[in-house]
Amino acid sequence: MTDTSQLKVLIVHGPNLNMLGKRETEIYGSTTLAEIDEGLKRQGADAEIMVETFQSNYEGAIVEKIQQAFMEDINGIVINPAALTHTSISIRDALLLLKAPVIEIHLSNIYKRESFRHKSMIAGVVAAQISGLGVMGYTLALEGIIKLVKKTRT
Ligand code: DQA
Protein backbone atom coordinates (compact mmCIF):
# COMPACT_ATOMS: atom_id res chain seq x y z
CA MET A 1 0.00 0.00 0.00
CA THR A 2 1.11 3.55 -0.63
CA ASP A 3 2.28 5.36 2.51
CA THR A 4 0.62 8.76 2.39
CA SER A 5 0.71 9.58 6.10
CA GLN A 6 3.27 12.38 5.87
CA LEU A 7 2.43 13.75 2.44
CA LYS A 8 2.11 17.50 2.28
CA VAL A 9 1.13 19.84 -0.54
CA LEU A 10 1.56 23.62 -0.52
CA ILE A 11 -0.87 25.93 -2.32
CA VAL A 12 0.63 29.33 -3.20
CA HIS A 13 -1.46 32.33 -4.22
CA GLY A 14 0.16 35.49 -5.58
CA PRO A 15 -0.70 39.21 -5.46
CA ASN A 16 -4.30 40.42 -5.30
CA LEU A 17 -5.75 36.93 -4.97
CA ASN A 18 -6.60 37.87 -1.36
CA MET A 19 -9.19 40.15 -3.00
CA LEU A 20 -11.04 37.33 -4.76
CA GLY A 21 -14.78 37.79 -4.38
CA LYS A 22 -14.36 41.58 -4.62
CA ARG A 23 -11.90 41.83 -7.50
CA GLU A 24 -13.08 41.86 -11.17
CA THR A 25 -15.77 39.33 -10.35
CA GLU A 26 -16.79 39.07 -14.02
CA ILE A 27 -13.35 37.51 -14.64
CA TYR A 28 -12.48 35.82 -11.35
CA GLY A 29 -15.91 34.97 -9.95
CA SER A 30 -17.43 35.57 -6.53
CA THR A 31 -15.71 32.84 -4.49
CA THR A 32 -13.37 34.21 -1.85
CA LEU A 33 -9.83 32.97 -1.26
CA ALA A 34 -10.85 31.70 2.19
CA GLU A 35 -13.57 29.58 0.56
CA ILE A 36 -11.10 28.22 -2.02
CA ASP A 37 -8.55 27.37 0.69
CA GLU A 38 -11.18 25.72 2.87
CA GLY A 39 -12.33 23.54 -0.05
CA LEU A 40 -8.75 22.52 -0.86
CA LYS A 41 -8.02 21.60 2.77
CA ARG A 42 -11.16 19.45 2.85
CA GLN A 43 -10.19 17.82 -0.46
CA GLY A 44 -6.72 17.14 0.92
CA ALA A 45 -8.08 15.65 4.14
CA ASP A 46 -10.33 13.31 2.10
CA ALA A 47 -7.21 12.08 0.28
CA GLU A 48 -5.17 11.93 3.52
CA ILE A 49 -2.88 14.72 2.34
CA MET A 50 -1.95 17.71 4.44
CA VAL A 51 -2.69 20.92 2.56
CA GLU A 52 -1.06 24.21 3.58
CA THR A 53 -2.17 27.43 1.92
CA PHE A 54 -0.18 30.64 1.55
CA GLN A 55 -0.95 34.00 -0.05
CA SER A 56 1.34 37.00 -0.44
CA ASN A 57 1.37 40.24 -2.37
CA TYR A 58 5.19 40.21 -2.25
CA GLU A 59 7.44 38.40 -4.70
CA GLY A 60 10.24 37.90 -2.15
CA ALA A 61 7.85 36.38 0.39
CA ILE A 62 6.71 33.86 -2.23
CA VAL A 63 10.33 33.02 -3.11
CA GLU A 64 11.09 32.50 0.59
CA LYS A 65 8.01 30.30 1.04
CA ILE A 66 9.11 28.10 -1.87
CA GLN A 67 12.64 27.90 -0.43
CA GLN A 68 11.18 26.93 2.95
CA ALA A 69 9.01 24.28 1.26
CA PHE A 70 12.15 22.90 -0.40
CA MET A 71 13.98 22.77 2.94
CA GLU A 72 10.99 20.96 4.47
CA ASP A 73 10.87 18.42 1.63
CA ILE A 74 7.41 19.39 0.44
CA ASN A 75 5.78 16.70 -1.72
CA GLY A 76 4.10 19.00 -4.23
CA ILE A 77 3.10 22.59 -4.96
CA VAL A 78 0.07 24.14 -6.66
CA ILE A 79 0.80 27.77 -7.53
CA ASN A 80 -1.12 30.69 -8.95
CA PRO A 81 1.53 33.41 -9.08
CA ALA A 82 -1.11 35.86 -10.39
CA ALA A 83 0.52 38.89 -12.07
CA LEU A 84 3.98 37.60 -11.07
CA THR A 85 3.39 34.74 -13.54
CA HIS A 86 4.28 37.12 -16.32
CA THR A 87 7.36 38.74 -14.79
CA SER A 88 8.99 36.69 -12.08
CA ILE A 89 12.24 34.97 -12.93
CA SER A 90 12.93 34.70 -9.19
CA ILE A 91 9.82 32.55 -8.62
CA ARG A 92 10.84 30.40 -11.59
CA ASP A 93 14.35 30.02 -10.15
CA ALA A 94 12.96 29.12 -6.71
CA LEU A 95 10.70 26.45 -8.26
CA LEU A 96 13.77 24.99 -9.99
CA LEU A 97 15.10 24.09 -6.53
CA LEU A 98 12.37 21.50 -6.16
CA LYS A 99 12.31 17.87 -7.17
CA ALA A 100 8.66 17.72 -6.15
CA PRO A 101 6.00 18.27 -8.85
CA VAL A 102 4.47 21.71 -9.35
CA ILE A 103 1.19 22.57 -11.08
CA GLU A 104 0.48 26.13 -12.25
CA ILE A 105 -3.11 27.30 -12.13
CA HIS A 106 -4.97 30.39 -13.32
CA LEU A 107 -8.63 31.10 -12.76
CA SER A 108 -8.93 32.90 -16.09
CA ASN A 109 -7.69 31.72 -19.47
CA ILE A 110 -4.55 33.85 -19.70
CA TYR A 111 -4.27 33.12 -23.44
CA LYS A 112 -7.64 34.73 -24.17
CA ARG A 113 -6.70 37.97 -22.42
CA GLU A 114 -4.23 40.84 -23.01
CA SER A 115 -1.05 39.80 -24.81
CA PHE A 116 1.13 40.61 -21.75
CA ARG A 117 -0.65 37.75 -19.95
CA HIS A 118 0.16 35.20 -22.65
CA LYS A 119 3.68 34.64 -21.38
CA SER A 120 4.18 32.58 -18.24
CA MET A 121 7.67 32.68 -16.75
CA ILE A 122 7.01 29.45 -14.88
CA ALA A 123 5.21 27.32 -17.49
CA GLY A 124 8.53 25.85 -18.65
CA VAL A 125 9.43 24.51 -15.22
CA VAL A 126 6.12 23.02 -14.04
CA ALA A 127 4.53 19.62 -14.61
CA ALA A 128 1.29 21.10 -15.95
CA GLN A 129 -0.72 24.28 -16.31
CA ILE A 130 -4.47 24.75 -15.85
CA SER A 131 -5.90 28.03 -17.13
CA GLY A 132 -9.49 29.17 -17.53
CA LEU A 133 -11.53 26.77 -15.41
CA GLY A 134 -12.17 29.16 -12.53
CA VAL A 135 -12.23 27.68 -9.02
CA MET A 136 -12.62 24.19 -10.53
CA GLY A 137 -9.05 24.64 -11.77
CA TYR A 138 -7.78 24.59 -8.18
CA THR A 139 -9.71 21.39 -7.44
CA LEU A 140 -8.31 19.72 -10.55
CA ALA A 141 -4.80 21.00 -9.85
CA LEU A 142 -4.90 19.54 -6.34
CA GLU A 143 -6.32 16.26 -7.66
CA GLY A 144 -3.51 16.16 -10.24
CA ILE A 145 -0.74 16.96 -7.78
CA ILE A 146 -2.05 14.33 -5.33
CA LYS A 147 -1.95 11.72 -8.12
CA LEU A 148 1.59 12.74 -9.11
CA VAL A 149 2.76 12.74 -5.48
CA LYS A 150 1.22 9.35 -4.69
CA LYS A 151 2.67 7.91 -7.90
CA THR A 152 6.20 8.83 -6.84
CA ARG A 153 5.53 7.17 -3.45
CA THR A 154 4.20 3.85 -4.80
C1 DQA B 1 -4.44 35.11 -12.82
C2 DQA B 1 -4.14 35.71 -14.20
C3 DQA B 1 -3.09 36.82 -14.09
O1 DQA B 1 -2.81 37.35 -15.37
C4 DQA B 1 -3.59 37.94 -13.20
O2 DQA B 1 -2.59 38.92 -13.05
C5 DQA B 1 -4.07 37.43 -11.88
C6 DQA B 1 -4.82 36.18 -11.80
C7 DQA B 1 -5.62 34.10 -12.86
O3 DQA B 1 -5.76 33.36 -11.90
O4 DQA B 1 -6.38 34.09 -13.83
O5 DQA B 1 -3.93 38.13 -10.87
O6 DQA B 1 -3.30 34.41 -12.37
Side-chain angles (χ1 to χ4, degrees), residues 69 83 151:
K151 204 165 90 182

Side-chain angles (χ1 to χ4, degrees), residues 15 17 23 28 80 82-83 85-86 105-108 110 113 117:
L17 292 174
R23 171 190 184 208
Y28 299 117
N80 182 352
T85 305
H86 317 298
I105 185 257
H106 301 284
L107 292 154
S108 63
I110 57 174
R113 300 183 64 194
R117 295 186 204 275

Side-chain angles (χ1 to χ4, degrees), residues 88-128:
S88 181
I89 298 169
S90 62
I91 291 178
R92 177 192 174 98
D93 286 349
L95 291 174
L96 280 169
L97 268 171
L98 302 161
K99 295 263 184 305
V102 178
I103 295 183
E104 172 184 357
I105 185 257
H106 301 284
L107 292 154
S108 63
N109 181 348
I110 57 174
Y111 303 101
K112 271 173 89 171
R113 300 183 64 194
E114 304 96 321
S115 57
F116 62 82
R117 295 186 204 275
H118 296 179
K119 175 81 190 158
S120 164
M121 288 295 182
I122 73 160
V125 302
V126 297

Side-chain angles (χ1 to χ4, degrees), residues 5-6 19 45 94 105:
S5 52
Q6 299 301 312
M19 289 293 134
I105 185 257

